[in-house]
Amino acid sequence: RILLILLLGFFLINGWNRRNQKSDFLDYYHASERWKAEENLYKFDVAYELKEKVKSWEELFLPENAKLLSDLQTQTATYIYPPLFAYLLLPLTYFPAPVASGIHQVIGFLCLLGILFLFWKGEFFGRNFKNREWILSLVLLLNFRFLESHVQNNQVGLLLVLLVLLALIAKNDGFAGILLA
């Protein structure tokens, strides 16, 4: 049990300490801001503007195109999820980015706890499963790099895994379909 608590504590503290740093969450956050402003979520307008402005490869690297190149590299198509996800994150846009990132970080950690709870409860191995703490600790250790990456980059993967697991145990097919969608 101590190993399980230490690993979970590490993920929580590590993620919380990185909430102010650049992460994948900023792509989600900016897409939601663009939704609110009724702009293109995927920010292709920079690519179109550059295409109209630059007629040859030589013109591409002129100083007046530096900002467009920078925007193309850092903003264009960095959001890769369906529009629904940007819509669902709209409430977080009412907070400054670091606060919203912290909220998203906590949601991700709660999703990790939810995943572990489903396994702990015996939804996938049976209710008479012995040595749950050791198995869950082993699962966390074997998936340490994946979990650390998701926590550090404030990604949406843990939420997606939780939704898939909930869909697998759902008794209602319609509800399972909504969870998967």
Side-chain angles (χ1 to χ4, degrees), residues 118 124 158-169 179-180:
L118 290 175
F124 299 100
L158 294 172
L159 174 63
L160 297 176
V161 170
L162 179 64
L163 292 173
V164 167
L165 292 175
L166 289 172
L168 289 173
I169 62 170
L179 290 171
L180 287 175

Short mmCIF file of all heavy atoms in Angstrom, two decimals, residues 118 124 158-169 179-180:
data_model
loop_
_atom_site.label_atom_id
_atom_site.label_comp_id
_atom_site.label_asym_id
_atom_site.label_seq_id
_atom_site.Cartn_x
_atom_site.Cartn_y
_atom_site.Cartn_z
N LEU A 118 -11.66 1.44 -10.34
CA LEU A 118 -12.39 0.41 -11.10
C LEU A 118 -11.68 -0.93 -11.02
O LEU A 118 -12.33 -1.98 -10.89
CB LEU A 118 -12.55 0.84 -12.56
CG LEU A 118 -13.52 1.99 -12.80
CD1 LEU A 118 -13.50 2.40 -14.27
CD2 LEU A 118 -14.93 1.62 -12.37
N PHE A 124 -12.76 -5.69 -13.39
CA PHE A 124 -12.11 -6.35 -14.52
C PHE A 124 -11.43 -7.66 -14.14
O PHE A 124 -11.21 -8.50 -14.98
CB PHE A 124 -11.11 -5.40 -15.18
CG PHE A 124 -11.77 -4.18 -15.72
CD1 PHE A 124 -11.74 -2.99 -15.01
CD2 PHE A 124 -12.47 -4.22 -16.90
CE1 PHE A 124 -12.38 -1.87 -15.50
CE2 PHE A 124 -13.12 -3.10 -17.40
CZ PHE A 124 -13.06 -1.92 -16.69
N LEU A 158 -5.68 10.25 -19.71
CA LEU A 158 -6.24 9.56 -18.56
C LEU A 158 -7.77 9.68 -18.54
O LEU A 158 -8.46 8.73 -18.18
CB LEU A 158 -5.64 10.09 -17.26
CG LEU A 158 -4.14 9.79 -17.09
CD1 LEU A 158 -3.58 10.53 -15.88
CD2 LEU A 158 -3.90 8.30 -16.99
N LEU A 159 -8.27 10.82 -18.94
CA LEU A 159 -9.72 10.99 -19.05
C LEU A 159 -10.29 10.03 -20.09
O LEU A 159 -11.31 9.39 -19.87
CB LEU A 159 -10.07 12.44 -19.41
CG LEU A 159 -11.54 12.72 -19.70
CD1 LEU A 159 -12.40 12.45 -18.49
CD2 LEU A 159 -11.72 14.14 -20.19
N LEU A 160 -9.60 9.91 -21.22
CA LEU A 160 -10.07 9.01 -22.28
C LEU A 160 -10.05 7.55 -21.83
O LEU A 160 -11.00 6.81 -22.09
CB LEU A 160 -9.22 9.19 -23.54
CG LEU A 160 -9.28 10.58 -24.19
CD1 LEU A 160 -8.32 10.67 -25.36
CD2 LEU A 160 -10.69 10.92 -24.61
N VAL A 161 -9.01 7.15 -21.12
CA VAL A 161 -8.93 5.77 -20.62
C VAL A 161 -10.07 5.51 -19.64
O VAL A 161 -10.73 4.47 -19.69
CB VAL A 161 -7.56 5.49 -19.97
CG1 VAL A 161 -7.55 4.17 -19.23
CG2 VAL A 161 -6.46 5.50 -21.03
N LEU A 162 -10.32 6.46 -18.74
CA LEU A 162 -11.42 6.29 -17.78
C LEU A 162 -12.76 6.16 -18.49
O LEU A 162 -13.57 5.30 -18.15
CB LEU A 162 -11.45 7.46 -16.79
CG LEU A 162 -12.59 7.40 -15.76
CD1 LEU A 162 -12.44 6.18 -14.86
CD2 LEU A 162 -12.64 8.68 -14.94
N LEU A 163 -12.99 7.00 -19.50
CA LEU A 163 -14.26 6.92 -20.23
C LEU A 163 -14.42 5.59 -20.95
O LEU A 163 -15.52 5.02 -20.97
CB LEU A 163 -14.38 8.10 -21.20
CG LEU A 163 -14.53 9.48 -20.57
CD1 LEU A 163 -14.47 10.56 -21.63
CD2 LEU A 163 -15.80 9.57 -19.76
N VAL A 164 -13.35 5.07 -21.51
CA VAL A 164 -13.41 3.76 -22.18
C VAL A 164 -13.72 2.66 -21.17
O VAL A 164 -14.56 1.79 -21.41
CB VAL A 164 -12.10 3.48 -22.94
CG1 VAL A 164 -12.02 2.02 -23.38
CG2 VAL A 164 -11.99 4.39 -24.15
N LEU A 165 -13.04 2.69 -20.02
CA LEU A 165 -13.29 1.68 -18.99
C LEU A 165 -14.72 1.76 -18.48
O LEU A 165 -15.37 0.72 -18.26
CB LEU A 165 -12.30 1.81 -17.84
CG LEU A 165 -10.85 1.47 -18.17
CD1 LEU A 165 -9.95 1.75 -16.98
CD2 LEU A 165 -10.72 0.03 -18.62
N LEU A 166 -15.22 2.96 -18.28
CA LEU A 166 -16.61 3.11 -17.83
C LEU A 166 -17.58 2.60 -18.89
O LEU A 166 -18.60 2.00 -18.56
CB LEU A 166 -16.91 4.57 -17.49
CG LEU A 166 -16.25 5.11 -16.22
CD1 LEU A 166 -16.45 6.62 -16.10
CD2 LEU A 166 -16.78 4.39 -14.99
N ALA A 167 -17.26 2.81 -20.15
CA ALA A 167 -18.11 2.31 -21.24
C ALA A 167 -18.12 0.78 -21.25
O ALA A 167 -19.15 0.16 -21.54
CB ALA A 167 -17.63 2.84 -22.58
N LEU A 168 -17.00 0.17 -20.91
CA LEU A 168 -16.92 -1.30 -20.90
C LEU A 168 -17.79 -1.93 -19.82
O LEU A 168 -18.28 -3.05 -20.00
CB LEU A 168 -15.46 -1.76 -20.72
CG LEU A 168 -14.54 -1.54 -21.90
CD1 LEU A 168 -13.10 -1.89 -21.52
CD2 LEU A 168 -14.99 -2.35 -23.10
N ILE A 169 -17.98 -1.22 -18.72
CA ILE A 169 -18.77 -1.81 -17.63
C ILE A 169 -20.20 -1.27 -17.58
O ILE A 169 -20.99 -1.69 -16.74
CB ILE A 169 -18.08 -1.60 -16.26
CG1 ILE A 169 -17.95 -0.12 -15.92
CG2 ILE A 169 -16.75 -2.30 -16.21
CD1 ILE A 169 -17.51 0.17 -14.51
N LEU A 179 -20.36 7.51 -23.63
CA LEU A 179 -19.04 7.54 -23.00
C LEU A 179 -17.93 7.35 -24.04
O LEU A 179 -16.89 8.01 -23.97
CB LEU A 179 -18.92 6.46 -21.92
CG LEU A 179 -19.75 6.69 -20.67
CD1 LEU A 179 -19.73 5.45 -19.78
CD2 LEU A 179 -19.25 7.90 -19.91
N LEU A 180 -18.14 6.45 -24.98
CA LEU A 180 -17.12 6.25 -26.01
C LEU A 180 -17.03 7.43 -26.97
O LEU A 180 -15.96 7.76 -27.46
CB LEU A 180 -17.41 4.96 -26.78
CG LEU A 180 -17.13 3.67 -26.05
CD1 LEU A 180 -17.58 2.48 -26.88
CD2 LEU A 180 -15.66 3.55 -25.70
#
